[in-house]
Amino acid sequence: MISIDVNSTAKIMEATYRAFSWSDYILFVAMLVLSILVGIYFGFFKKQDTSDKYLFGGKQMGFFPVALSLAASHLSGITLLGVPAEVYYYGCSYWATSICIIIVCLFTIHIFLPVLFKSNVTSSFEYLQLRFDKKIRYVTSTLFIAKNLAYLPIIIYIPALAFSQVTGISVHLVTPIVCFVCIFYTSVGGFKAVVWTDTFQFAITVFTVIAIVVLGFIYTGGVANVWNRNEIGGRLDFFNFDPSLVTRTTFWGYTIGLTMSWISELGVNQGMVQKYLSIPNISQIKKCLILFVAVFSGIKMLNVTTGLIMYAKYQYCDPLTSKVIQKPDQILPYFVMDIAGNIPGLPGLFIAAVFSTALSTMSAVLNTLSGTIYDDAIKPFLSKEKKTERNASYIMKICTLIIGFISVSLVLVVEKLGGILPLVMGITGCFAGTNCGLFILATCVPWANSKGALVGSFASLISAVSVMIGARYHIAYGNIQYPKLPLLTMGCLENSTIPFDQFNYTFPTTFDRRPIINEDEVFVLFRMSYIFYTCFGTVVQIVVGLVVSWITGFNDLKEVNPDLISPVMHWVLPKQPVSEKEKEQYKSVEESLEMLKKQQEAEA
């Protein structure tokens, strides 16, 4: 029988700070030093002095490190801290992301990769220029830059929050130091430094998460106890098939809403495309994606499991309600210090893992943003004499420094905002809907023209941002409330050792997961769950794009380059006439086959 043994708030926090020992600081600092050394190696011994090396690693990267780099750069601290907290407070619907990542992988392999390779581009924005025009390229690249400038401070803030939680050191002190490390090895070492630091940082993350899960099961009495307590507390909503668009998270929300968002983020996002193009051929890219899906799904499931373990641990003594922690996203650092604070090195390893995921994401974004800013905002204005490979590499390094400085400054804004996971998904969802709809329009709708794509992009972005702002306004003023699942504090007594089964509390048999909405005040679109923002933006982009294309005149399908259209949609295109060169090639092949046949007959 497992009993609760929780001290008062002040004593817990005091013990938490003491638990972060010199061995923990050594492990944390070692991770930062190793990252710097990787940057120095690729910056000074394997010089990245051309734009091709700086952005693509010479296009000779192996699929294994790139797959781990993809997984590391898309985990970030949001997954390590946000997902367990989401499961703890709202249930485990998030497990369905394992389904949507498979859908995204298939979509990418069969829809987008063939087009990107056949069109021989170096960026997703360049493809949009070929498919539509320059206006679309610059609009999408501008949106990409704006989205990532908004996203980077959140990436930085999350691990800084965790570090502050377990050490008591101010967020504002640790943020500049760690960000300097990331900016240094990214700007100096380029793409190869990013990939290889991602690889070893990801190894730290996986080891740490597995250690936390194993210790968590031991501390809470095993898998059966964790399952039973979460079932009683209503956390095991694996198949919540509620079709409502206002319910915060459901099976459909993740498998449909999040799939659309991840098509944008993992399929055609420039950061992903850059890594795809660093691999020499498409067969290796497919292997990379398959490995990425397996690793990514595995770490997501471990994060969901961590959330369930935390609930089993704090079922009758919620740290947030009892004011032991101040923010929902602090619960995992608190949990780690609670169960492993007396194990030398493990708290430090945990913080190193949180920072590793953040550094992986930040370095990937910095590298991609610097290349995008150079290609689309600086290069067009340079004279021919200044468009050298060496100048390009130098300018991108300067861009990395500037972007990093801006991101660190914006952390002051992020810390004033609410829950991390909804905030991030809301921001990225607005931009992702436009991006996802635009690429579907480009690759799968050959009759859509540039005017439709441009007007659709603005309509999609404006409508999605309006919905998000409206929803956040009503949430702030209490017109929309998302109640958490039952959280209790009856076990938070001084030196309490009361067994779980002796608490006199009856959990409800059903749990209403729909929000409380003041329908007289809230416009119907503002009630929509944040997880559907991308779907909404995608639908607006495609519908408006098609309507405007129809009004202004659909593309003549005879003039559409089939290499710019996904192979799955080639059936709608007219058959291309065979050129004289192709006829000669066919004739030569037929003659060779005929000669081979005669030779085989003579030998027989």
Side-chain angles (χ1 to χ4, degrees):
M1 185 180 296
I2 303 299
S3 299
I4 297 175
D5 186 12
V6 183
N7 294 322
S8 64
T9 298
K11 290 182 179 180
I12 289 175
M13 297 308 290
E14 183 181 355
T16 297
Y17 297 150
R18 285 204 307 266
F20 207 79
S21 63
W22 62 267
S23 59
D24 299 307
Y25 284 107
I26 288 175
L27 281 171
F28 175 69
V29 172
M31 182 272 295
L32 298 180
V33 172
L34 281 173
S35 300
I36 291 174
L37 291 177
V38 172
I40 291 173
Y41 175 74
F42 285 107
F44 297 100
F45 297 95
K46 299 285 185 179
K47 291 187 177 181
Q48 311 295 298
D49 53 2
T50 67
S51 60
D52 185 62
K53 289 181 179 179
Y54 189 82
L55 293 176
F56 301 102
K59 296 186 178 181
Q60 294 298 319
M61 299 297 296
F63 77 89
F64 184 80
V66 173
L68 297 187
S69 176
L70 288 173
S73 61
H74 282 279
L75 283 175
S76 76
I78 296 166
T79 296
L80 286 190
L81 300 183
V83 172
E86 174 77 12
V87 172
Y88 178 91
Y89 292 111
Y90 296 103
C92 65
S93 293
Y94 194 86
W95 80 273
T97 56
S98 293
I99 297 175
C100 76
I101 189 62
I102 295 173
I103 298 172
V104 171
C105 178
L106 293 173
F107 215 93
T108 302
I109 289 173
H110 296 290
I111 303 294
F112 300 126
L113 280 182
V115 172
L116 292 171
F117 259 79
K118 278 191 176 181
S119 54
N120 195 30
V121 296
T122 57
S123 74
S124 56
F125 310 119
E126 185 181 352
Y127 162 74
L128 290 175
Q129 179 179 344
L130 295 175
R131 174 64 177 87
F132 295 119
D133 57 26
K134 282 187 177 181
K135 292 179 182 177
I136 291 296
R137 173 176 183 165
Y138 292 132
V139 166
T140 52
S141 62
T142 301
L143 292 178
F144 176 78
I145 293 168
K147 183 202 77 170
N148 281 288
L149 286 177
Y151 186 49
L152 270 175
I154 300 172
I155 296 170
I156 301 167
Y157 173 68
I158 293 171
L161 182 69
F163 190 84
S164 177
Q165 172 73 7
V166 300
T167 64
I169 298 175
S170 170
V171 168
H172 305 132
L173 179 62
V174 70
T175 298
I177 296 172
V178 176
C179 287
F180 168 78
V181 172
C182 183
I183 293 166
F184 174 79
Y185 75 73
T186 304
S187 60
V188 172
F191 183 80
K192 286 188 175 181
V194 170
V195 169
W196 285 107
T197 51
D198 285 354
T199 301
F200 93 79
Q201 288 167 357
F202 184 73
I204 294 173
T205 302
V206 172
F207 177 81
T208 304
V209 172
I210 292 174
I212 292 170
V213 169
V214 171
L215 280 174
F217 276 129
I218 294 171
Y219 199 94
T220 53
V223 176
N225 277 335
V226 170
W227 182 275
N228 291 335
R229 293 174 197 169
N230 279 275
E231 186 175 27
I232 293 171
R235 266 63 181 177
L236 301 182
D237 56 334
F238 291 106
F239 299 101
N240 180 8
F241 293 126
D242 184 353
S244 173
L245 297 181
V246 303
T247 303
R248 191 176 182 277
T249 53
T250 65
F251 178 84
W252 303 119
Y254 283 118
T255 54
I256 298 175
L258 198 59
T259 293
M260 301 304 291
S261 179
W262 280 4
I263 285 175
S264 173
E265 293 300 318
L266 306 179
V268 293
N269 178 281
Q270 173 55 21
M272 295 291 283
V273 172
Q274 179 182 347
K275 290 184 178 180
Y276 296 153
L277 298 178
S278 71
I279 301 173
N281 58 65
I282 198 166
S283 64
Q284 293 290 305
I285 295 178
K286 291 178 180 179
K287 291 180 182 178
C288 173
L289 277 170
I290 292 170
L291 178 59
F292 164 67
V293 168
V295 171
F296 197 66
S297 298
I299 199 74
K300 291 282 187 180
M301 290 303 96
L302 287 173
N303 292 136
V304 170
T305 303
T306 302
L308 297 176
I309 292 172
M310 289 194 305
Y311 178 73
K313 171 72 171 65
Y314 301 122
Q315 187 175 39
Y316 289 100
C317 183
D318 173 49
L320 182 65
T321 309
S322 59
K323 308 298 182 183
V324 175
I325 60 176
Q326 289 73 47
K327 297 176 182 290
D329 307 292
Q330 291 177 326
I331 189 167
L332 181 59
Y334 172 78
F335 172 73
V336 171
M337 299 304 296
D338 193 9
I339 68 170
N342 61 341
I343 302 176
L346 190 56
L349 193 64
F350 167 72
I351 295 301
V354 175
F355 267 105
S356 291
T357 58
L359 291 175
S360 298
T361 307
M362 185 179 181
S363 62
V365 173
L366 286 173
N367 186 254
T368 305
L369 269 183
S370 63
T372 302
I373 291 173
Y374 173 75
D375 281 339
D376 293 353
I378 297 176
K379 187 176 179 179
F381 301 99
L382 296 178
S383 62
K384 290 184 178 180
E385 293 77 15
K386 293 183 178 180
K387 290 180 182 179
T388 63
E389 290 291 330
R390 186 173 295 276
N391 280 345
S393 176
Y394 176 76
I395 292 171
M396 284 187 281
K397 291 177 180 179
I398 297 297
C399 289
T400 300
L401 294 173
I402 295 172
I403 296 165
F405 176 78
I406 293 172
S407 300
V408 173
S409 303
L410 289 176
V411 170
L412 296 172
V413 177
V414 171
E415 68 175 339
K416 304 297 181 183
L417 303 177
I420 290 174
L421 196 61
L423 173 65
V424 172
M425 296 181 73
I427 291 173
T428 58
C430 292
F431 293 98
T434 301
N435 199 41
C436 179
L438 183 59
F439 273 90
I440 291 175
L441 203 67
T443 57
C444 300
V445 189
W447 46 87
N449 63 31
S450 58
K451 294 183 179 66
L454 184 62
V455 176
S457 296
F458 284 113
S460 172
L461 183 62
I462 292 170
S463 58
V465 169
S466 299
V467 168
M468 187 197 75
I469 292 174
R472 298 298 297 182
Y473 170 83
H474 286 292
I475 290 171
Y477 283 91
N479 293 324
I480 301 176
Q481 299 177 37
Y482 293 100
K484 297 179 177 67
L485 292 173
L487 299 168
L488 306 175
T489 58
M490 60 182 65
C492 300
L493 303 175
E494 186 79 15
N495 299 321
S496 173
T497 57
I498 305 173
F500 277 121
D501 56 5
Q502 293 184 22
F503 283 114
N504 186 22
Y505 179 83
T506 303
F507 284 89
T509 55
T510 59
F511 300 88
D512 187 1
R513 302 177 189 276
R514 295 196 179 189
I516 302 170
I517 299 174
N518 184 347
E519 296 185 359
D520 295 331
E521 296 289 335
V522 183
F523 179 58
V524 63
L525 287 178
F526 297 160
R527 305 172 194 174
M528 180 169 53
S529 170
Y530 67 90
I531 208 165
F532 288 107
Y533 291 168
T534 302
C535 276
F536 177 69
T538 300
V539 170
V540 171
Q541 168 74 68
I542 293 173
V543 171
V544 173
L546 281 173
V547 170
V548 174
S549 295
W550 173 63
I551 293 172
T552 57
F554 284 133
N555 283 336
D556 184 349
L557 296 186
K558 294 179 181 179
E559 298 179 0
V560 174
N561 183 352
D563 289 344
L564 301 178
I565 305 299
S566 174
V568 300
M569 292 301 295
H570 280 184
W571 62 273
V572 303
L573 299 175
K575 292 184 178 181
Q576 299 292 320
V578 180
S579 66
E580 292 299 324
K581 183 178 180 180
E582 289 174 325
K583 288 180 181 178
E584 290 295 327
Q585 290 175 342
Y586 296 148
K587 184 178 179 181
S588 176
V589 171
E590 289 176 356
E591 289 175 350
S592 298
L593 290 173
E594 185 66 27
M595 289 178 62
L596 180 61
K597 183 179 179 181
K598 289 180 179 179
Q599 184 179 356
Q600 290 174 342
E601 288 176 351
E603 291 176 353

